[in-house]
Amino acid sequence: MKSLFDEPEELKGDRPVLTPLQLDLLDRGRMPYSQGARRVIWQAPCGAGKTVVAGEQTRRALEMGKTVLHVVHRRRLVDQMIWTLFKFGIGASPIMEGRSSWNAKVSCASR
């Protein structure tokens, strides 16, 4: 297994490819939804690729017709999340002071 810090994420076409560690995080994070949870908080160490995992989770949720809200604690993470979602072919709207738009199935919010 590669270290999290060996190489940047690879791309499959235009979409990032998840590492085995990220796929495991995705599978474990999706489990509560299959048990009836409507909201789940995901946690992983710095550098684990949480944003990329969230991008894949969002892609799968949109395929199921869901609406998605990402809430982050820093304004710069809104831009990071929107850029990552763009790599997955997903348009997202920012929601924070000075910028708000409600015209997408995916929104990224901060204070």
Side-chain angles (χ1 to χ4, degrees), residues 3-107:
S3 163
L4 292 174
F5 306 103
D6 283 348
E7 299 176 358
E9 64 194 33
E10 298 176 43
L11 296 176
K12 182 178 186 177
D14 294 331
R15 193 172 68 197
V17 175
L18 276 63
T19 66
L21 184 69
Q22 292 167 331
L23 289 169
D24 181 56
L25 176 62
L26 181 64
D27 291 341
R28 287 184 292 124
R30 291 177 57 86
M31 196 177 316
Y33 293 110
S34 66
Q35 298 169 349
R38 294 186 56 198
R39 293 168 199 86
V40 177
I41 296 175
W42 298 56
Q43 176 182 329
C46 292
K50 294 178 291 289
T51 306
V52 174
V53 172
E56 178 63 19
Q57 169 65 9
T58 301
R59 187 188 67 76
R60 293 180 184 190
L62 290 174
E63 284 180 349
M64 297 169 46
K66 305 288 184 179
T67 301
V68 179
L69 171 64
H70 292 281
V71 179
V72 296
H73 71 289
R74 301 226 187 267
R75 293 174 62 94
R76 69 175 180 260
L77 294 177
V78 170
D79 293 329
Q80 177 184 333
M81 188 73 231
I82 288 173
W83 176 245
T84 299
L85 291 170
F86 176 76
K87 290 179 186 178
F88 280 90
I90 300 167
S93 295
I95 302 172
M96 60 183 155
E97 187 176 339
R99 295 192 301 172
S100 64
S101 176
W102 295 91
N103 60 356
K105 299 261 312 166
V106 179
S107 298

